[in-house]
Amino acid sequence: MEIVEPGEYAVEKSSYEADQFGKRPTLRASIAWLLASKTPAHAAWAHPRLNPNYKRETRNYFDIGTAAHTLLFQKGAPLKIIEADNYKTKLAKAARAEVYAMGATPLLPHEWEQVQAMVKAARQQMQALVDAGTIPAMPFQKQDCERALFWDEGMARCRASLDGFDTQGDIVSEYKTTGQTANPQEFQWQMRRLGYPFRLAFYRRGLQALK
């Protein structure tokens, strides 16, 4: 899929991750954060179009987070349950590799239970915010989830995939998971290390450019 004009598009997640939108590489928030916090070499190494040896990192807790997003948003790559206790056996490892090759997300049975509990808790917390009047409506409606924005900054084509935003573009909603502690006092430091405030500013810049 080639993106010629700036705008908002519905794109496949696999295409988004691989940056398959035209002849020139695009700049996303995570790459911009590496440019700002580390070096151009780090950014190039993490970019699927600039690193000829690029291979997307896979870990169990990444899969759990991806699956939680898929279940909460009701869209995304298929989820496949691997009937095993862990990935220590050759059979389980081969099954996981096969699921990855299909473009799906592998989960062990106990991980699937964890994902369902995570999404249930998220929905309960969001409903509590709506009931308290903190937010106007439940975020992450299916039609508003993971829409891709494309805009230009000088000669650079930028892109952003927002978890959710309202039709006016005034509220950006992001669903974050962690394989570490969710204690607010600890998580705030992880947010800074991963550049979440920077990424939010990047998203808002894209929304502003497309108004």
Side-chain angles (χ1 to χ4, degrees):
M1 178 181 183
E2 183 173 3
I3 303 295
V4 178
E5 297 295 332
E8 177 187 338
Y9 297 85
V11 302
E12 293 292 333
K13 188 173 181 63
S14 58
S15 297
Y16 187 86
E17 294 296 336
D19 191 19
Q20 298 174 337
F21 302 116
K23 295 181 179 179
R24 56 175 173 162
T26 62
L27 179 67
R28 64 186 296 186
S30 59
I31 302 299
W33 173 242
L34 289 175
L35 282 170
S37 63
K38 293 187 177 180
T39 69
H42 285 89
W45 180 259
H47 199 295
R49 296 279 298 279
L50 299 179
N51 178 4
N53 299 313
Y54 176 82
K55 184 177 180 180
R56 189 179 180 191
E57 186 178 8
T58 57
R59 295 184 184 179
N60 279 39
Y61 62 82
F62 287 167
D63 293 335
I64 291 172
T66 298
H69 278 76
T70 298
L71 184 60
L72 180 62
F73 302 158
Q74 292 296 296
K75 62 191 303 185
L79 307 180
K80 298 292 184 181
I81 309 301
I82 296 177
E83 297 297 337
D85 294 330
N86 52 55
Y87 292 119
K88 293 181 179 180
T89 67
K90 290 184 178 179
L91 187 62
K93 290 178 180 178
R96 178 174 58 176
E98 183 178 350
V99 172
Y100 282 141
M102 294 167 51
T105 302
L107 291 171
L108 299 170
H110 72 272
E111 293 174 337
W112 171 233
E113 292 180 2
Q114 181 181 350
V115 165
Q116 293 177 88
M118 290 166 61
V119 171
K120 180 180 179 181
R123 287 174 175 157
Q124 289 174 339
Q125 292 178 37
M126 290 187 296
Q127 187 60 58
L129 292 173
V130 173
D131 294 342
T134 305
I135 57 177
M138 286 285 283
F140 309 129
Q141 300 302 311
K142 186 176 181 180
Q143 66 273 16
D144 298 326
C145 286
E146 296 190 320
R147 301 283 291 183
L149 308 180
F150 292 83
W151 74 99
D152 294 328
E153 298 276 358
M155 297 179 65
R157 169 59 56 87
C158 300
R159 63 186 165 104
S161 178
L162 309 187
D163 285 351
F165 60 99
D166 68 1
T167 55
Q168 301 300 318
D170 294 324
I171 300 176
V172 176
S173 302
E174 286 287 299
Y175 175 54
K176 297 298 185 184
T177 62
T178 177
Q180 303 176 31
T181 177
N183 183 311
Q185 296 301 318
E186 300 292 335
F187 189 62
Q188 64 174 325
W189 297 108
Q190 186 178 355
M191 289 175 60
R192 295 179 185 181
R193 180 176 62 82
L194 295 175
Y196 287 171
F198 178 95
R199 296 181 192 213
L200 177 59
F202 188 89
Y203 299 156
R204 290 196 175 279
R205 192 173 181 93
L207 288 168
Q208 185 62 40
L210 295 177
K211 277 189 175 181

